[in-house]
Structure formats: C-alpha cells, structure tokens
C-alpha cells in the first residue's frame, strides 16, 4: 500500500509516546521515511495539538498515510476524522487493521497505546501497510462517507 519513498506520518500524545517511538524506529529501520509530528516526551499534552497538523497534511495530499496513538486511540481518531479525505481507523488487532485498508481504504491507523502491546502494534502496522484497498463494492461505500448534500 505505502511506497517506501513516500512520507509516512506518525503522531501521538503523551500516552502514545513510548509506542510511537518503537514504531518509528522499526519503520525507519525498514526503510520508510517517517515524519514525526510529536509529541516528543511523556509530558502531559493535548492530543489534538499533535494530530491537527498531521491530519491537515494528509488532507492536503502532502503525506500519504499515518499512524496516530493516544491512550484509547479515540481522541486522536476523532481529531483526524474532522478532515475530509482522512479516514482514520481505530484498530486493536491486525485483522482489523488489514480490513480497515481492504474495506475502508483507511489512510490512518489509530492505535490505543494503553491497550495493545508492542508486538500487536507492530503487527498492526505491517498489516496496515501490506494491505491494498479492495475497491469494488467497498469503493461505492467509501465514497458515501463524506457528508452528503441535502436532496
Ligand atoms: C490521556 O490521559 C488520554 O485521555 C488520551 O491519551 C486519550 O486516551 C484520549 O482519547
């Protein structure tokens, strides 16, 4: 799904910081260009401050895809999904990460850092990166996600 030449965005709040660092290191070792939108320590901060710039860059097409983390994954995904063209999927097992790509054409993987371990998180990242959107009937459904015009 994601070309190694393309920039992969990563961002978290303090609760996701440690796991973000693990994922970032692993992805860089695997040859991906990872752009880190913060946060840069475990000091308490507001997830929206890291996620708005990341989601805006995906919305504007400057970045292909992203990974976002907070304690539950909810705050970061709610923030990211405010941007049209952003489809952030909250995932907790690799199968859901894979289906989020295959069926929903998700362009952001949202991880609940306080509820998944490193191994599962890295497996989810691999599943997300390795899975292509299936298109077909799912394409029609994904196209209906944006708020429709009133009839
Ligand atoms: C931080 O304590 C926590 O509220 C945050 O990481 C996240 O889970 C919010 O959705």
């Amino acid at each position: 799904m994601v070309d190694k030449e393309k920039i992969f965005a990563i961002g978290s709040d303090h609760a996701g910081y440690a796991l973000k660092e693990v994922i970032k290191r692993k992805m860089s070792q695997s040859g991906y260009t990872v752009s880190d939108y913060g946060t840069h320590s475990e000091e308490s901060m507001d997830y929206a401050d890291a996620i708005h710039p990341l989601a805006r860059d995906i919305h504007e097409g400057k970045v292909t895809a992203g990974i976002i983390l907070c304690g539950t994954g909810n705050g970061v995904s709610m923030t990211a999904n405010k941007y049209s063209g952003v489809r952030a999927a909250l995932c907790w097992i690799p199968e859901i990460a894979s289906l989020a790509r295959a069926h929903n054409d998700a362009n952001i993987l949202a991880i609940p850092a306080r509820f998944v371990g490193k191994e599962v998180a890295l497996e989810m990242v691999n599943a997300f990166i390795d899975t292509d959107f299936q298109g077909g009937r799912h394409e029609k459904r994904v196209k209906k996600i944006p708020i429709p015009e009133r009839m």
Side-chain angles (χ1 to χ4, degrees), residues 83-135:
Y83 292 80
S84 65
V86 167
R87 287 177 299 281
L90 176 57
C91 302
W92 55 95
I93 53 172
E95 289 82 354
I96 294 179
S98 175
L99 285 167
R101 287 285 312 128
H103 289 187
N104 311 113
D105 199 15
N107 48 16
I108 295 185
L109 168 64
I111 300 179
R114 285 183 174 149
F115 298 88
V116 299
K118 282 182 201 169
E119 228 169 81
V120 169
L122 292 172
E123 281 173 23
M124 289 202 293
V125 170
N126 286 335
F128 193 79
I129 289 173
D130 290 344
T131 309
D132 289 323
F133 180 45
Q134 276 177 12

Side-chain angles (χ1 to χ4, degrees), residues 13-15 47 70-75 114:
D13 72 353
H14 54 286
Y47 49 79
C70 67
T72 59
N74 274 325
R114 285 183 174 149

Side-chain angles (χ1 to χ4, degrees), residues 5 9 35 78 111 119 133 138:
E5 309 293 306
S35 181
M78 286 177 187
I111 300 179
E119 228 169 81
F133 180 45
H138 301 295

Side-chain angles (χ1 to χ4, degrees), residues 29-51:
Q29 284 167 359
S30 303
Y32 289 96
T33 303
V34 184
S35 181
D36 188 351
Y37 289 73
T39 189
H40 301 291
S41 77
E42 286 185 334
E43 190 182 331
S44 183
M45 58 84 73
D46 304 327
Y47 49 79
D49 294 337
I51 302 307

